[in-house]
Amino acid sequence: MSSRSLSLKKISLLSSRIVSGNIQWGYRRPGGDRNIVSNALVGRCLTRGFASVKRVSRASSPHADLLSYVRASLDILEGPSHHWLNRDFETKQLFKDKGTYVVLVGDLLNGTSDPSCFFEKLKLLQQRSPGVCFMGIHFSDQARTTDDRAALAELIVKEYLTFPVLLSEKDFPKSSGEEVRYLVFRDFKNPLIYQDKDMDIAIVAKALESLSQDTEKSKSVKLFTNTWSKLADAIKEPHFSSFLQDLFLYFPGCISADEAGDCLFLSDSNHHRIIISNYSGEILDSIGCFPGFEDGEFESAKMLRPAATLYDEEEDCLYIVDSENHAIRRANIKTRVLETVYPKVIKKSGGLWSWMMEKMGLGEGEDTTVEADAKSEESDAPSLMFPWHILKRDDDSLLVINKSFSKLWIINLASGEIEEVVEGFQGIMKIYGELIREKLSVLKHLPSTWLQQQTKAITSCKEQPSATLLSSFSKFGDDIVMTDIAGQRVLKLNRGSGACSSIQFSNIGILGLPYWLSIPLERVFNLANGVQEAHISHTHQLRLLPGKVSIQLKIKIPQRTELVEPVQESCIWRQARGSITEVSNAGSAAEPSEKVGVSQQWYDELDNLAKEIVNPELAEQEEEEQEEDVSEIESEVDGRIHIDCSVNTSPGTSELIVYVALYLRLAKNEETEGASQEELARRIADVLKPARNMTTMDEDLFVKVLLKSKREVRDIVFLKPMHVRIRFDTMDHPKADNSRDIILTDSSAQIDVTL
């Protein structure tokens, strides 16, 4: 089992071990019961007399009417009294008449309780039960439907909800209201109703197990539970990807700084990466390539919604709160390697074959042990649950706090174990209030109205709302650097003058091609199970003779937009399929003045290696110079972007796939100068409109969310993906006069692409 595969296994165990607010951690004994929720655990929950157990009841007629209403709306995006949000209508695998459902019902926006609490419980159940369908139902009325749709969209992004939400205008007196209820049912019959906001997850998990035990799991569910991977490589994400995901920053949740090293560490949370830049905004590096759970080099490591970061100057490392993985990670800045601090991960075996099987989702899952010191499945050892903030004590231990400030964990760095758990806001502030208030004291320099907007954008800590922003800012000299989650940007505020400005990021190309555009080996296996390929911008057909083909793509970007910076080679991905070989970069190096044989090339490489051993500093300097030499794609006088591709063709059919990530913004000219902010926002929506899949975020909703940020729309940087497919029909080789030799023909082609 890989480190990534470990994520779901750990999360599965977490979701079943919450007993009266604590998570129980352990492992399944060999030959033991395979059920995540053991009979012993559930029996212990029942004997402790939770309030949620007493308030479970069978549905009455109004609830039956609600189920019929939901069932009738499953295949209809919008009806007279309902509207679906956060739903992908091209994938109906999780929406069927027969199956097990968990539905969160009530006023999800204006309730008396903190929404983070019941959403976290529902997400734990969702992570534990990939074969169960989850959804939320929010009751509204016609007068506030439009506002509620925008508020629900913000809530989905803020809480990282991957299940659909049904906005209903129909009144169900026994179901609507401020109190939130959980409905658990199978085949839309006889639901169990959990009315208490302090519902115990272990009891619900037991109910789900009981409802599902007689149902044969589908092939896809067997697939994912065998590999311990999440759906479709299989990290489910909110289905707003066609708009919000294409913004340069997508919920920049937290930030920290290394003032001595002139570095900022920005958590681009919903893009699952950490962006490292200097104070001027030049991007130096990034951590994380894909949503998941995997240690390794920065380019291959995976996280799931990273939150707070903490830089340790002595160790030159960055501690990262991996929120949705319930883990703490450590990034070595010098070696560029990410590892897991908590929970402890021990690799038992490895090898090339194991790696290949894991990447294809066929791993046996027997090569990784988590928490080797866990005593048993019934252990009462506490575990992290959706951590968000992080601080460091003087005694070499970490203080980890959740978003709502209801729980604090103390993690010993030497042992990688949780030493103590402090519950409740008052308990946390009683012990560590001085440390927390000292950091929050910087916020007095910020306008109160702006602080209120930022606090609402994250979540609410009712006892002290400003505590929510604990990890959203950092001191840097005389300035305060702070994330603007509502505006999807980073601001710097001078404490003396009060001047405020937005950091303009540069060298964006170093981030490479975004994960939702590329299709590496590990995603190809899951394409048939819900992962959508990028929208195809252009297709072209070529019929040529065999040989080398030089292709030039001439890309015209959308009107009234401009490139933020020249396109770098790292933002281009080419793939050859069939009877062609892609050689675009092979000819970039200068050709030698004389031809040499393979043996001589081998001896030359040995000579170069000997030089590196004798003078390693010179070799390192040459390597750094090569790294700094970043090739850029220049725009020509016709205003188009020219991208060169070269392939060697053989007889047969083949295809060349080209992905390009173009970072754009609206052009600042007379045409956009006189336009209103709403018109400019609609222009961005129009550019991003060719969605990669059908989602339930329409243009009007996106514009409303964008305008609520109250920032200059022309400064918003967004990604316009380009996806070109060139199909080759290569004829047979022409024969030479002697009828033995073959003739290779050099060809060229220019292809115009308009976005």
Side-chain angles (χ1 to χ4, degrees):
M1 184 189 301
S2 68
S3 301
R4 181 203 68 218
S5 304
L6 156 69
S7 174
L8 184 60
K9 189 169 186 177
K10 179 176 80 68
I11 292 171
S12 302
L13 293 170
L14 289 176
S15 63
S16 65
R17 289 172 171 80
I18 298 184
V19 180
S20 189
N22 292 328
I23 305 176
Q24 313 303 320
W25 178 261
Y27 62 89
R28 179 175 58 83
R29 298 194 195 101
D33 187 319
R34 288 181 177 268
N35 292 329
I36 301 296
V37 183
S38 65
N39 293 331
L41 174 64
V42 175
R44 186 165 69 248
C45 295
L46 290 170
T47 57
R48 293 183 183 182
F50 290 104
S52 58
V53 180
K54 297 178 182 178
R55 300 185 64 181
V56 176
S57 62
R58 287 290 178 180
S60 57
S61 179
H63 292 96
D65 293 341
L66 174 62
L67 298 191
S68 300
Y69 174 75
V70 174
R71 187 174 189 173
S73 64
L74 286 181
D75 297 327
I76 305 173
L77 174 61
E78 186 169 8
S81 62
H82 80 273
H83 183 89
W84 283 103
L85 291 168
N86 201 32
R87 179 170 172 190
D88 180 4
F89 267 73
E90 288 189 358
T91 304
K92 298 184 180 180
Q93 177 183 358
L94 297 180
F95 283 88
K96 45 193 177 293
D97 289 342
K98 295 187 179 296
T100 304
Y101 280 77
V102 178
V103 182
L104 186 66
V105 181
D107 190 339
L108 305 183
L109 297 174
N110 307 304
T112 56
S113 58
D114 182 7
S116 296
C117 297
F118 47 78
F119 282 135
E120 286 178 359
K121 292 179 181 180
L122 201 64
K123 288 197 292 184
L124 279 175
L125 287 171
Q126 186 184 26
Q127 292 168 346
R128 178 250 182 264
S129 307
V132 175
C133 305
F134 291 81
M135 70 172 67
I137 300 178
H138 171 72
F139 296 103
S140 181
D141 56 49
Q142 190 172 7
R144 68 172 197 263
T145 297
T146 303
D147 292 335
D148 279 0
R149 285 178 61 187
L152 283 173
E154 293 176 335
L155 183 68
I156 289 168
V157 172
K158 179 175 70 174
E159 299 295 341
Y160 196 72
L161 305 182
T162 60
F163 52 82
V165 177
L166 178 64
L167 177 62
S168 172
E169 297 178 13
K170 192 170 182 179
D171 186 26
F172 294 89
K174 296 292 184 180
S175 301
S176 58
E178 289 189 355
E179 186 177 359
V180 173
R181 298 171 176 84
Y182 300 81
L183 271 61
V184 179
F185 54 88
R186 178 180 168 186
D187 299 342
F188 288 89
K189 299 177 182 177
N190 304 321
L192 291 171
I193 304 169
Y194 297 83
Q195 296 181 335
D196 200 318
K197 64 180 180 180
D198 297 323
M199 173 207 66
D200 184 75
I201 289 185
I203 303 301
V204 181
K206 185 65 177 177
L208 288 175
E209 181 183 320
S210 176
L211 289 172
S212 305
Q213 61 184 358
D214 297 330
T215 305
E216 183 180 357
K217 293 184 178 180
S218 65
K219 182 178 179 181
S220 61
V221 172
K222 287 183 179 180
L223 196 68
F224 295 127
T225 52
N226 277 343
T227 62
W228 285 106
S229 62
K230 298 180 184 178
L231 291 179
D233 186 66
I235 305 297
K236 283 180 66 62
E237 295 193 85
H239 291 294
F240 285 170
S241 55
S242 61
F243 284 111
L244 295 178
Q245 193 176 49
D246 285 336
L247 299 180
F248 168 58
L249 297 178
Y250 184 22
F251 200 87
C254 305
I255 195 168
S256 64
D258 169 22
E259 192 172 346
D262 188 27
C263 282
L264 296 175
F265 305 99
L266 173 64
S267 299
D268 190 6
S269 298
N270 286 6
H271 280 152
H272 316 288
R273 64 189 177 190
I274 304 294
I275 296 176
I276 304 175
S277 72
N278 60 22
Y279 188 62
S280 301
E282 180 185 0
I283 298 178
L284 308 174
D285 207 343
S286 66
I287 307 172
C289 70
F290 201 87
F293 190 96
E294 187 170 322
D295 291 344
E297 297 181 352
F298 287 179
E299 294 86 356
S300 60
K302 299 178 182 180
M303 297 176 287
L304 190 58
R305 212 185 189 213
T309 56
L310 174 68
Y311 178 72
D312 191 313
E313 186 175 356
E314 293 182 2
E315 299 182 11
D316 192 23
C317 69
L318 185 72
Y319 290 98
I320 304 170
V321 176
D322 196 349
S323 179
E324 297 286 322
N325 281 325
H326 319 285
I328 304 298
R329 320 290 289 275
R330 176 168 51 207
N332 189 310
I333 302 300
K334 185 175 182 180
T335 61
R336 302 184 72 256
V337 172
L338 182 71
E339 61 182 355
T340 301
V341 175
Y342 176 89
K344 295 171 66 176
V345 180
I346 302 174
K347 292 289 289 184
K348 286 185 176 180
S349 62
L352 178 61
W353 178 251
S354 298
W355 177 85
M356 293 173 61
M357 295 294 286
E358 289 167 7
K359 291 299 182 184
M360 291 187 292
L362 301 175
E364 295 295 330
E366 299 295 335
D367 62 340
T368 305
T369 298
V370 187
E371 288 271 285
D373 58 341
K375 295 180 180 180
S376 70
E377 190 174 273
E378 288 78 19
S379 171
D380 288 332
S383 294
L384 296 180
M385 183 179 70
F386 297 104
W388 193 262
H389 307 285
I390 187 170
L391 298 169
K392 190 172 184 181
R393 293 198 310 186
D394 296 333
D395 61 348
D396 201 30
S397 60
L398 298 177
L399 304 179
V400 182
I401 313 172
N402 62 358
K403 280 198 296 185
S404 58
F405 266 75
S406 61
K407 189 168 291 189
L408 178 147
W409 301 267
I410 303 175
I411 299 178
N412 187 295
L413 287 175
S415 63
E417 299 175 356
I418 294 178
E419 291 182 339
E420 184 182 353
V421 179
V422 181
E423 296 197 25
F425 178 81
Q426 297 300 331
I428 294 173
M429 297 303 291
K430 182 178 180 181
I431 304 175
Y432 300 107
E434 184 178 353
L435 181 63
I436 295 172
R437 281 189 289 266
E438 180 183 356
K439 183 175 182 182
L440 292 177
S441 63
V442 180
L443 296 178
K444 64 184 179 182
H445 299 279
L446 302 178
S448 58
T449 54
W450 190 81
L451 284 177
Q452 185 178 4
Q453 181 189 17
Q454 296 307 309
T455 301
K456 185 179 179 181
I458 304 177
T459 187
S460 59
C461 175
K462 295 182 179 179
E463 293 83 354
Q464 186 175 346
S466 61
T468 303
L469 304 175
L470 182 67
S471 302
S472 299
F473 68 94
S474 180
K475 293 190 295 184
F476 203 102
D478 295 331
D479 294 344
I480 300 174
V481 183
M482 190 165 189
T483 61
D484 179 7
I485 295 176
Q488 312 291 343
R489 57 180 173 173
V490 180
L491 301 174
K492 51 185 177 182
L493 175 74
N494 187 278
R495 286 184 282 176
S497 64
C500 181
S501 61
S502 175
I503 294 181
Q504 303 298 321
F505 288 95
S506 60
N507 197 28
I508 299 176
I510 197 174
L511 299 175
L513 198 69
Y515 69 86
W516 59 91
L517 297 186
S518 59
I519 309 179
L521 172 63
E522 58 195 280
R523 291 190 70 190
V524 173
F525 173 69
N526 289 305
L527 278 178
N529 295 290
V531 175
Q532 303 293 327
E533 292 191 69
H535 169 79
I536 298 178
S537 309
H538 186 84
T539 58
H540 201 82
Q541 186 85 25
L542 293 176
R543 181 175 175 84
L544 301 168
L545 291 170
K548 184 175 181 179
V549 182
S550 299
I551 303 171
Q552 187 177 68
L553 299 178
K554 303 177 69 174
I555 306 169
K556 183 178 181 181
I557 63 176
Q559 294 181 352
R560 293 191 289 177
T561 63
E562 63 184 13
L563 280 174
V564 175
E565 59 186 22
V567 181
Q568 296 184 13
E569 188 65 35
S570 58
C571 291
I572 304 172
W573 187 69
R574 307 174 182 89
Q575 183 187 36
R577 295 177 177 176
S579 61
I580 62 173
T581 304
E582 198 268 321
V583 292
S584 298
N585 297 322
S588 58
E591 294 290 338
S593 57
E594 55 180 318
K595 300 295 183 181
V596 295
V598 176
S599 298
Q600 183 60 46
Q601 294 178 21
W602 186 73
Y603 282 115
D604 291 341
E605 291 177 0
L606 286 179
D607 291 340
N608 294 332
L609 180 61
K611 292 178 183 178
E612 292 180 8
I613 297 174
V614 174
N615 195 346
E617 294 181 357
L618 179 61
E620 185 176 351
Q621 181 179 357
E622 292 177 353
E623 184 178 351
E624 291 178 354
E625 291 176 354
Q626 291 177 358
E627 291 179 353
E628 292 176 357
D629 184 20
V630 180
S631 59
E632 296 181 346
I633 310 300
E634 297 183 357
S635 299
E636 299 296 327
V637 292
D638 58 1
R640 293 176 177 261
I641 303 168
H642 291 198
I643 295 178
D644 296 324
C645 308
S646 298
V647 295
N648 290 333
T649 63
S650 300
T653 58
S654 52
E655 185 178 45
L656 175 65
I657 303 172
V658 182
Y659 284 106
V660 183
L662 302 173
Y663 288 95
L664 308 174
R665 65 184 167 213
L666 295 181
K668 295 184 178 181
N669 52 32
E670 295 181 357
E671 188 176 2
T672 60
E673 187 71 31
S676 66
Q677 293 294 293
E678 181 176 354
E679 291 174 337
L680 297 176
R682 290 194 179 279
R683 178 55 188 159
I684 294 179
D686 187 58
V687 172
L688 300 178
K689 196 171 183 179
R692 294 179 296 280
N693 50 37
M694 183 178 177
T695 70
T696 53
M697 174 171 253
D698 56 29
E699 181 179 337
D700 292 337
L701 182 57
F702 173 70
V703 169
K704 189 160 188 174
V705 171
L706 214 58
L707 292 177
K708 288 190 71 172
S709 65
K710 298 180 181 179
R711 62 174 296 192
E712 171 57 55
V713 176
R714 291 185 300 174
D715 292 335
I716 296 176
V717 177
F718 53 92
L719 168 70
K720 178 63 179 178
M722 188 204 73
H723 178 193
V724 175
R725 289 179 177 260
I726 306 171
R727 296 180 175 87
F728 294 85
D729 182 9
T730 308
M731 297 176 283
D732 291 335
H733 291 283
K735 296 293 184 180
D737 294 338
N738 57 15
S739 73
R740 291 182 308 224
D741 298 332
I742 59 175
I743 299 174
L744 296 177
T745 305
D746 289 346
S747 307
S748 62
Q750 287 189 353
I751 300 175
D752 293 331
V753 180
T754 301
L755 299 178

